[in-house]
C-alpha cells in the first residue's frame, strides 16, 4: 500500500502542477489554472466581458501568448518563453522584427544585483513589449542582429475569476481571497492558491457556522470586478482573509484590516499568540494585496491578510528565484493549520446571556463539576465556566472571555457548550 501523503505534500503537488502555466490578469492561463483547482474543489467560473465598467475601472482586453523568443544570427534562442513564462513582459503586444542589440536593450529587463535571476515584470495598461532575462545572459550576448518574436494577442475577450462556496448554518459570510494572475511564482501566488483550496476542502468536511466564500481572482482588477458585481451583498461579508506568500519558511505575518479592531484581527492575534508560533502583527497600509480593495472606505470590510514573509520582504520576490525550491510542504501545512485554527475560533465565537444571573448558579447539582472529574485541566475548566457565567451579559463574546481570563479559547468554548446544555446560558 502506498504511503498516505500529508496535506502539505498534496498542496506542494498542486503548486508543481500550476507552476509551468503562464498566468496574467486575463487569458487562457487563468482558465487553465482554475480548471485544475476545480479538480480539488468545484468552482463557479465567471467571465466578465472586456469594457465592462467595474467601479472606477473597466475590464481590459484579454491577453494570450503562444510563443516568444530572442534568437541570435544562428537561430539559437538566447531567451525562450518555452523555458519560463517569466521571460516575457506580461501583456506584451505582438512583435516580429530583427534589430541590433543596441536597440533591443531598451526592451530588456534584468536584475543586476542578482545576475542569475530573471525578474517578473508587466505592462497591463500601457501598450509595450519586452523580455525579462538574467543579467549574466545579457552580459554574454555579443553585438549583432537578433530576431525578436512575441506571438501574442491583445483583443476583446473576458476577465475570468471563480468562486467556491462552503455552505454554513447562517448566510453571513467569511470571504477568503487569493490572486491567480502571477506566472511561475511559487510563493507569490501559487502557495496561496494551494492553501485556499485545501482550506475549502477541510471546511467542507463539516458544516461550519458561517458560509465561507472562496474567491480565486486576478489581483487588483479581479477583486475590483468582484466588488462591483457584488456591491449590493457585501453586507453579508462579516469577516475576511486574503492569502498570499503562504509557502516560504519565514515567520507568519498577519496584516490587520483597515479597521484594526475587526473580529478577524482579534481572532488572528489571539490564535497566533496562543500558538506561540513566531509571527508579526502588521498595521494596515493601503498597499499590498487585495485587502486594500476590500478595505477601501466605501466597503470597509473586516478583511485582513495572512502571509509568511510579506510581499517585497524577501529578495526572491517577483523573480525566478521564487521557484519550487523556495516553498515547502511544511510551511504550507503550517499556514493551513493557522487558518483552520482561526476559523474554528470565528465559528464558535458567540455572545451568550446568563439565564441565572442573580448569584452564582449551583453547578454541582447540575452535574457540571462531576463532568470535570479526572481531567488534568479540571481547575482551568472550572474557571472557564465561572468566567463564561460572569461575562455572559449579551455584550461579551467568548473571545472576550478567553482574553480577559487568560484561558485558551477552546477551553472557554467547551465550557460554554456545557453551560448551554445545562440551560444556564443561551445565545
Amino acid at each position: 500500500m502506498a504511503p498516505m501523503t500529508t496535506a502539505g505534500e498534496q498542496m506542494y503537488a498542486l503548486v508543481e502542477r500550476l507552476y509551468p502555466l503562464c498566468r496574467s490578469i486575463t487569458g487562457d492561463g487563468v482558465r487553465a489554472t482554475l480548471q485544475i483547482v476545480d479538480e480539488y474543489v468545484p468552482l463557479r467560473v465567471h467571465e466578465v466581458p472586456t469594457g465592462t465598467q467595474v467601479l472606477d475601472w473597466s475590464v481590459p482586453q484579454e491577453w494570450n501568448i503562444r510563443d516568444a523568443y530572442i534568437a541570435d544570427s544562428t537561430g539559437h534562442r538566447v531567451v525562450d518563453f518555452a523555458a519560463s513564462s517569466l521571460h516575457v513582459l506580461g501583456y506584451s503586444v505582438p512583435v516580429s522584427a530583427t534589430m541590433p542589440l543596441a536597440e533591443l536593450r531598451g526592451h530588456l529587463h534584468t536584475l543586476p544585483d542578482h545576475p542569475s535571476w530573471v525578474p517578473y515584470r508587466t505592462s497591463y495598461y500601457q501598450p509595450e513589449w519586452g523580455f525579462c532575462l538574467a543579467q549574466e545572459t545579457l552580459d554574454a550576448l555579443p553585438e549583432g542582429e537578433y530576431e525578436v518574436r512575441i506571438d501574442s494577442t491583445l483583443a476583446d475577450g473576458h476577465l475570468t475569476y471563480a468562486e467556491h462556496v462552503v455552505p454554513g448554518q447562517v448566510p453571513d459570510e467569511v470571504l477568503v481571497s487569493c490572486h491567480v494572475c502571477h506566472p511561475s511564482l511559487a510563493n507569490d501566488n501559487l502557495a496561496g492558491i494551494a492553501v485556499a483550496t485545501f482550506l475549502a476542502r477541510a471546511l467542507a468536511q463539516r458544516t461550519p457556522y458561517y458560509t465561507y466564500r472562496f474567491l480565486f481572482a486576478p489581483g487588483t482588477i479581479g477583486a475590483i470586478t468582484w466588488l462591483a458585481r457584488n456591491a449590493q451583498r457585501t453586507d453579508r461579508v462579516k469577516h475576511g482573509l486574503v492569502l498570499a506568500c503562504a509557502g516560504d519558511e519565514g515567520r507568519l505575518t498577519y496584516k490587520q484590516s483597515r479597521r484594526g479592531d475587526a473580529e478577524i484581527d482579534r481572532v488572528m492575534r489571539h490564535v497566533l499568540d496562543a500558538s506561540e508560533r513566531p509571527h508579526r502583527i502588521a498595521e494596515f497600509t493601503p498597499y499590498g494585496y487585495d485587502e486594500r480593495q476590500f478595505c477601501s472606505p466605501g466597503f470597509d470590510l473586516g478583511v485582513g491578510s495572512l502571509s509568511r514573509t510579506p510581499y517585497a520582504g524577501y529578495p526572491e520576490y517577483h523573480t525566478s528565484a521564487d521557484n519550487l525550491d523556495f516553498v515547502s510542504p511544511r510551511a504550507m501545512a503550517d499556514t493551513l493549520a493557522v487558518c483552520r485554527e482561526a476559523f474554528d475560533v470565528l465559528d464558535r465565537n458567540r455572545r451568550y446571556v446568563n439565564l441565572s444571573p442573580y448569584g452564582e448558579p449551583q453547578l454541582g447539582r447540575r452535574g457540571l463539576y462531576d463532568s470535570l472529574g479526572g481531567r488534568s485541566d479540571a481547575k482551568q475548566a472550572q474557571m472557564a465556566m465561572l468566567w463564561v457565567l460572569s461575562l455572559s451579559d449579551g455584550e461579551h463574546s467568548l473571545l472576550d472571555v478567553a482574553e480577559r481570563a487568560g484561558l485558551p479559547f477552546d477551553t472557554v468554548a467547551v465550557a460554554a457548550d456545557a453551560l448551554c446544555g445545562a440551560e444556564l446560558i443561551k445565545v
Side-chain angles (χ1 to χ4, degrees):
M1 180 181 294
M4 294 287 288
T5 55
T6 67
E9 291 168 331
Q10 292 175 58
M11 286 187 285
Y12 188 85
L14 175 57
V15 170
E16 283 186 305
R17 289 186 67 189
L18 296 175
Y19 186 75
L21 299 177
C22 182
R23 281 165 292 275
S24 189
I25 56 173
T26 62
D28 291 335
V30 174
R31 295 186 184 96
T33 298
L34 297 177
Q35 285 173 0
I36 291 174
V37 173
D38 184 68
E39 296 175 19
Y40 294 78
V41 291
L43 297 179
R44 181 183 179 190
V45 177
H46 304 266
E47 298 274 6
V48 185
T50 296
T52 302
Q53 190 69 28
V54 287
L55 305 181
D56 194 47
W57 299 56
S58 62
V59 173
Q61 289 189 309
E62 181 176 327
W63 182 69
N64 285 293
I65 183 167
R66 286 159 292 279
D67 192 16
Y69 60 87
I70 301 172
D72 62 20
S73 58
T74 69
H76 172 66
R77 294 188 177 193
V78 296
V79 178
D80 192 353
F81 169 76
S84 171
S85 57
L86 295 180
H87 275 312
V88 173
L89 177 77
Y91 255 63
S92 280
V93 298
V95 60
S96 181
T98 300
M99 63 186 68
L101 181 59
E103 180 181 348
L104 179 57
R105 283 182 183 275
H107 296 275
L108 302 181
H109 305 268
T110 64
L111 293 167
D113 291 342
H114 297 282
S116 65
W117 297 356
V118 176
Y120 164 56
R121 298 287 185 269
T122 63
S123 183
Y124 295 141
Y125 302 105
Q126 182 69 36
E128 183 59 272
W129 66 267
F131 288 86
C132 299
L133 66 159
Q135 181 66 45
E136 60 188 22
T137 301
L138 176 58
D139 292 343
L141 295 181
E143 296 297 329
E145 296 286 309
Y146 288 86
E147 180 189 359
V148 179
R149 179 163 174 76
I150 298 177
D151 182 12
S152 64
T153 55
L154 192 58
D156 287 353
H158 296 83
L159 178 144
T160 309
Y161 71 89
E163 296 175 289
H164 172 78
V165 176
V166 180
Q169 300 170 38
V170 297
D172 292 343
E173 293 186 1
V174 179
L175 177 66
V176 181
S177 173
C178 61
H179 58 291
V180 296
C181 51
H182 287 14
S184 299
L185 298 174
N187 197 40
D188 176 32
N189 56 343
L190 296 180
I193 295 173
V195 171
T197 300
F198 279 78
L199 180 58
R201 292 181 69 175
L203 289 168
Q205 292 174 4
R206 58 186 177 87
T207 303
Y209 178 73
Y210 288 108
T211 293
Y212 286 81
R213 182 175 299 273
F214 288 80
L215 175 61
F216 300 85
T220 305
I221 187 64
I224 286 171
T225 299
W226 184 87
L227 285 165
R229 289 163 59 90
N230 293 273
Q232 301 307 311
R233 58 180 305 280
T234 56
D235 59 333
R236 294 187 188 179
V237 178
K238 304 304 180 183
H239 320 284
L241 192 63
V242 172
L243 291 171
C245 301
D248 68 90
E249 288 288 345
R251 65 178 176 174
L252 286 154
T253 298
Y254 175 71
K255 177 182 173 182
Q256 298 181 118
S257 71
R258 176 178 174 269
R259 300 177 192 173
D261 62 350
E263 190 171 344
I264 187 67
D265 300 327
R266 295 186 58 209
V267 166
M268 290 303 303
R269 285 196 298 268
H270 177 83
V271 166
L272 289 169
D273 287 345
S275 73
E276 299 184 348
R277 290 178 173 91
H279 69 276
R280 182 173 74 96
I281 304 296
E283 296 291 330
F284 175 81
T285 64
Y287 184 76
Y289 290 107
D290 286 328
E291 68 279 354
R292 70 188 196 269
Q293 311 306 335
F294 302 122
C295 293
S296 57
F299 295 105
D300 194 25
L301 302 178
V303 176
S305 176
L306 182 65
S307 61
R308 301 197 71 86
T309 308
Y311 59 88
Y314 51 98
E316 297 85 355
Y317 178 76
H318 279 193
T319 78
S320 58
D322 183 357
N323 55 32
L324 294 171
D325 293 332
F326 188 67
V327 298
S328 74
R330 189 214 67 82
M332 284 186 280
D334 187 51
T335 307
L336 176 63
V338 168
C339 292
R340 294 185 67 174
E341 291 165 24
F343 289 170
D344 186 56
V345 173
L346 268 183
D347 257 16
R348 299 164 75 189
N349 192 30
R350 306 277 187 281
R351 288 176 170 81
Y352 288 89
V353 174
N354 190 332
L355 300 178
S356 182
Y358 298 100
E360 181 181 303
Q362 190 174 7
L363 302 181
R365 71 177 174 84
R366 292 177 170 85
L368 292 173
Y369 281 150
D370 293 341
S371 69
L372 304 178
R375 286 180 53 166
S376 60
D377 63 342
K379 182 66 175 178
Q380 190 179 65
Q382 178 182 334
M383 287 304 300
M385 286 188 184
L386 296 177
W387 271 109
V388 170
L389 286 167
S390 179
L391 294 180
S392 289
D393 53 10
E395 299 296 325
H396 293 86
S397 69
L398 294 185
L399 183 57
D400 293 325
V401 176
E403 290 179 343
R404 183 165 174 180
L407 294 169
F409 180 88
D410 186 66
T411 302
V412 171
V414 169
D417 288 342
L419 292 168
C420 199
E423 300 184 345
L424 286 172
I425 62 172
K426 70 173 183 178
V427 176

